[in-house]
Amino acid sequence: MSNSLLVRRAAVLGAGVMGAQIAAHLTNAGVDTVLFDLPAKEGPADGIVLKAIANLGKLSPAPLASKSYAEAITPANYETGLEQLRDCDLIIEAIAERMDWKQDLYKKIAPFVADHAVLASNTSGLGINKLADVLPEQLRHRFCGVHFFNPPRYMHLAELIPASTTDAAVLEGLEAFLVTTLGKGVVYAKDTPNFIGNRIGVFSILSTIHHTQEFGLGFDEVDGLTGPLVGRPKSATYRTSDVVGLDTMAHVIKTMGDTLPNDPWHEFFKSPKWLDALIAKGALGQKTGAGIFRKVGKDIVVLDLEKLKSLAKDGQASADGSANAYRPADRAAAPEVVEILKVKNPAEKFAKLRESQHPQAQFLWATFRDLFHYSAYHLADIAETARDVDLAIRWGYGWSLGPFETWQAAGWKQVAQWIADDIVAGKSMSNAPLPDWVFDGRDGVHAAEGSYSPSRNAKLPRSALPVYQRQRFPDPLLGEKFAPGETVFENDGVRMWHDGDGIAVVSFKTKMNTVSDHVLNGLQEAIKRAEQDYKGLVIWQQKEPFSAGADLAGALGLLQAGKVDQFEEMVHNFQRTSQAIKYSLVPVVTAVRGLALGGGCEFQMHSAKSVAALESYIGLVEAGVGLLPAGGGLKELAVRASQAAGPGGDVFAELKKTFETVAMAKVSNSAVNAKELGLMRANDKVVFNSFEALHIAKAEVLALAEGGYRPPMPARRIQVAGDVGIATFKMMLVNMLEGRFISPYDYEIAVRIATVLCGGEVDRGTLVDEEWLLTLERKHFVELAQQEKTQARIAHMLKTGKPLRN
């Protein structure tokens, strides 16, 4: 039998927070999806599901790549809808975490599950083998656990948990589907409580809670230490708990306490008193507006344990007194600790943390020590390799390095010795010994040839499944190098290379992949060489973002030095580069992921085809810095409007769709949304796994080249909206100005954008060429750039990263 899982239709059982969002993401990926829940007590039988679908449009971050996708989800209920399961190829159960409820549901649906369908439970920690017990014999080999992380559209991790009866072919088919169709990073977990991600991740939170109290630190102080300073998300520890929900947090902790009675750290698997107190008051975090942190007016306040204790002493810790238990959230990481964390060399950094007498430094060493200790002690029971643990934590919790990578980078042997010393000294949370393999003379667990597996006592390479051949550069672990191919040409801005497949790739070398003169000249050279020697060219970056746009600092420098001619030449060069992309004799395909702003957006607009990862945030944002798009972006929108309207058609109606996008500097919240905003074309490709973007872009180049590619003919008869179009846009803008939606300077910028889009002050329906529009772009761009207000906006953006409304 082949190992491919063909999913034409899927069902999700349970329309709660996770179930509805999993259904949304299946729909994003073009899978026809039925969402089930209990029948409603009154109103339409599918009422519960209909409400959940309606709610998807209100959630932030958005579960749907486009709001219009909501209507593609089919609502159903367990009383009247089970017949619909017969034509589903994949069924994902996502009801509440109760073994008896899940098992009852399995008994109910089993007669309706097709003989080839795969059934998976999205449980976050219940036993997969125990769940499988109630399934009929013929369904057991097609059942497993698949645990998505919240929110399922954005979190890369999906844990795959086989039952002892699951067929290997079923797992491989599901893995390929999760990786390519849904864009996930798959990690295999053993059937142990909370699997890998939450077992290690929640332990890390529990250890942080324990040491917060032990070292007498504030919650805001700890968040200052456990966020970006140590390579973790901004929401750090306590803010994350508020976002997840304190009730959910307590539930997961209780599950650990109930299901892991023999864990040497068991005494710590219970909610602290303050957490129970908050939950009892209904302060569950973000969803109730108050938790560990809360907003008072514009200020953020944080729970203070000292205040809570003294209130309890006075018998005041009732619901009305609880507001007194908060203080301003103004404590942060101490400057001397920040200095230690800035040290580049991890071995030196950890030595300094351990030596420092500062309570914050001691706290950090203690939390890392206990995390390393716990991860090493449990590795053999929860995962096959150390790679699985590190990737689960990186992909599920957003850390830049997993626990084993962090330990290895800091010097495996030295850190192992320190942990052992602390265990003997009674400083660590548990006196369980580190496993013997930690001390077998190794320098770590990851190497080029693979990652350590305690059960096999060997380093195992990455999976050889065909789906991973699509990832030329997978997410690398410490010690892994995926060398880019042979360099063809390189300057200070770009590197052009190939893998011997006849397709050239060009990548930028600037910070945030911004567009400098070196990048512009490098791209033009790369296109010339591709035309000579290759089937086509892919513009692709090894790391996000695709490009944050023009190099503003360089531009501002030229303006302030009064070098207007040089500045205008830079703009001209930008336009020449965009045109070179558009009119290249071989196809140029852009592979976008992350931000593609300003010039980055314009390059993908001019490419023969754009391939964008779902999480691409694309926008012509120049208005935000007091400028207008002048790398051919407005020209291209005018050309497309003329083509869409057709000879003698209504060009203005077409321009209206994109004018607001540019004038309001809108950025898409997905690649699908970029198409809705008119920044990507209908036939451009949306890719779900960003690690496959290069592979798919190359496939597109090949298809175009083999299909006898020719660039478009130069656009010489572009019908424009002219003076009537400009006047109509001005009327819209005056209303916005009078309603105070925009400032007078925003109005001036928007009028210039309208002027370029409409082809200038000419008669409506006039035919112009691209050069005419490019000249208009340049003229207005250079004039705006010389205004004080624009220069103030650019300087403010460079300094703060935020737009200035002047």
Side-chain angles (χ1 to χ4, degrees), residues 39 43 82 255 367 411 434 603 699 707 778:
L82 291 180
T255 305
T367 52
L434 281 167
F603 288 160
R778 270 201 314 283

Side-chain angles (χ1 to χ4, degrees), residues 19 96 180 240 292 323 396 408 416 695 710:
T180 289
T240 300
I292 299 167
Q408 182 169 329
H695 174 86
R710 285 294 302 174

